Amino acid sequence: MTMREVAVTAELPGRAVEWLEERCLVRLNAGVQITDENTLIDFIGSADAVLTLLANPVTDRVLAACPDLRVVGNCAVGFDNIDLVAARRRGVWVTNTPDVLTEATADLTWGLILAVTRRLGEAERFLRDGRFHGWALDMLLGSGIQGRQLGVVGFGRIGRAVARRAAGFGMSVAASDVDEHANPDPPARFMALDELLASSHVVTLHTPLNEGTRHLLDEERLRLMPRGAFLVNTARGPLVDEAALVRVLEDGHLGGAGLDVFEMEPAVHPGLLEREDVVLLPHVGSATEETRAAMAELAATNILAVLAGEEPPTPVVRPTDH
Ligand code: DGY
């Protein structure tokens, strides 16, 4: 029997490559990240499976040019880099890596909430610049969060894990997409998005990116937020109109923003780079050794299952879905 071929677009932590190599012929890209369709098409070639990262654009054109592909195993919970409609139409499985990164991403979200409300980035720059000449009562004052409302947009796995931690910081939780009549776990008050924005001290985004959520926070919605409120985004950059966010920060409407993701990633809007009231991270929400190994291993397990003719643990698109 011929060995199945798996194209792996980047080096992987953990035992993922080892597991794939036990049963397949693995082609590994150890070079620069593949961010364009043509390079991806050349790299996949006649492989039966591809293990992708979120920078790899798995478009209809890529799927059309790689007709032997049976499965795209994305090493991420998000899958906005993949044309799901095209995959379904072309009978290709798509899988993702939910659950294993939930807690790490929720932790990082809280890191950003605390960093932006307590001005941690600015305070660290202040010290490193040699400007700390002794404790002062009015030095680098931030905003307290105790007793305030955290608005969670996207009450899925990560949104709920973020909300669970809110009790520890004395914050109440509002969510825009829980069932108003259900008893959400953890507890959250249902609010329509605009009401949530207008009443939260910190708004945190955990909703997937799709055509319905692109620029979900446009200028009008950003201006609904109370003066001095904070925005945190560890989901996907294009959920926020970044240019509008810069304007809303520039005129002092918002207290600050904590961003792990960007609209034109890896580019960051120059208006953000200049500001002291934003905390900017290079998309590290799930970046712990344990989590990244678990993500890569789950992506490999999904691929191996499909190639063995089995149901993968975490499918997004089944070829039989219509
Ligand atoms: C994902 O998995 O979608 C994140 O953005 C990276 O962990």
Side-chain angles (χ1 to χ4, degrees):
M1 208 176 83
T2 53
M3 284 271 259
R4 299 283 183 207
E5 196 182 335
V6 182
V8 177
T9 67
E11 290 186 277
L12 302 173
R15 301 180 58 202
V17 173
E18 192 185 316
W19 291 353
L20 290 169
E21 278 175 340
E22 279 166 15
R23 289 164 54 190
C24 309
L25 205 63
V26 174
R27 206 152 25 74
L28 182 67
N29 172 37
V32 288
Q33 197 163 77
I34 300 174
T35 55
D36 69 282
E37 290 176 324
N38 289 342
T39 315
L40 188 58
I41 291 169
D42 287 347
F43 181 67
I44 297 172
S46 59
D48 303 276
V50 62
L51 193 153
T52 48
L53 301 189
L54 49 86
N56 308 143
V58 187
T59 58
D60 188 27
R61 202 175 137 238
V62 170
L63 294 169
C66 304
D68 295 318
L69 211 52
R70 288 176 53 194
V71 52
V72 178
N74 213 32
C75 186
V77 66
F79 37 76
D80 45 286
N81 58 313
I82 303 170
D83 185 336
L84 300 185
V85 175
R88 192 169 293 124
R89 182 164 30 86
R90 294 184 182 280
V92 176
W93 286 85
V94 176
T95 63
N96 69 340
T97 61
D99 301 315
V100 292
L101 48 65
T102 299
E103 303 305 325
T105 308
D107 288 345
L108 195 278
T109 302
W110 274 96
L112 273 178
I113 294 173
L114 295 174
V116 70
T117 56
R118 296 297 299 274
R119 301 169 60 181
L120 300 188
E122 189 184 347
E124 214 228 8
R125 285 189 290 277
F126 175 87
L127 182 143
R128 285 180 189 265
D129 288 352
R131 289 185 279 146
F132 178 37
H133 303 303
W135 191 87
L137 199 56
D138 59 352
M139 191 176 71
L140 289 163
L141 303 186
S143 162
I145 53 173
Q146 168 92 24
R148 317 295 280 269
Q149 179 177 293
L150 176 69
V152 180
V153 180
F155 211 60
R157 299 177 194 86
I158 297 173
R160 289 199 304 272
V162 169
R164 262 197 307 279
R165 288 155 172 76
F169 292 96
M171 293 191 87
S172 61
V173 176
S176 57
D177 49 1
V178 288
D179 178 348
E180 151 175 35
H181 305 293
N183 272 336
D185 177 26
R189 203 169 141 210
F190 167 79
M191 283 184 191
L193 178 60
D194 289 358
E195 187 192 358
L196 175 148
L197 294 172
S199 59
S200 296
H201 187 54
V202 179
V203 171
T204 181
L205 305 183
H206 301 288
T207 199
L209 173 66
N210 53 48
E211 279 322 304
T213 59
R214 191 172 294 276
H215 284 192
L216 183 68
L217 264 60
D218 56 11
E219 183 151 355
E220 202 180 325
R221 286 226 166 94
L222 289 167
R223 289 196 186 279
L224 288 178
M225 292 172 66
R227 213 172 174 77
F230 299 89
L231 175 69
V232 168
N233 188 4
T234 58
R236 285 292 183 269
L239 295 174
V240 180
D241 179 343
E242 222 165 71
L245 175 62
V246 170
R247 285 195 293 277
V248 172
L249 287 164
E250 267 169 2
D251 64 23
H253 183 78
L254 289 186
L259 307 173
D260 185 42
V261 288
F262 302 93
E263 196 172 345
M264 308 296 285
E265 210 168 298
V268 178
H269 193 294
L272 291 173
L273 288 168
E274 285 166 7
R275 303 197 60 81
E276 284 289 18
D277 55 2
V278 295
V279 181
L280 307 171
L281 300 180
H283 204 149
V284 288
S286 62
T288 70
E289 303 263 1
E290 302 80 355
T291 300
R292 289 288 165 83
M295 288 165 67
E297 287 168 2
L298 179 53
T301 303
N302 276 318
I303 286 173
L304 289 169
V306 171
L307 295 183
E310 293 157 13
E311 171 88 5
T314 52
V316 176
V317 168
R318 291 180 180 79
T320 48
D321 290 346
H322 285 295

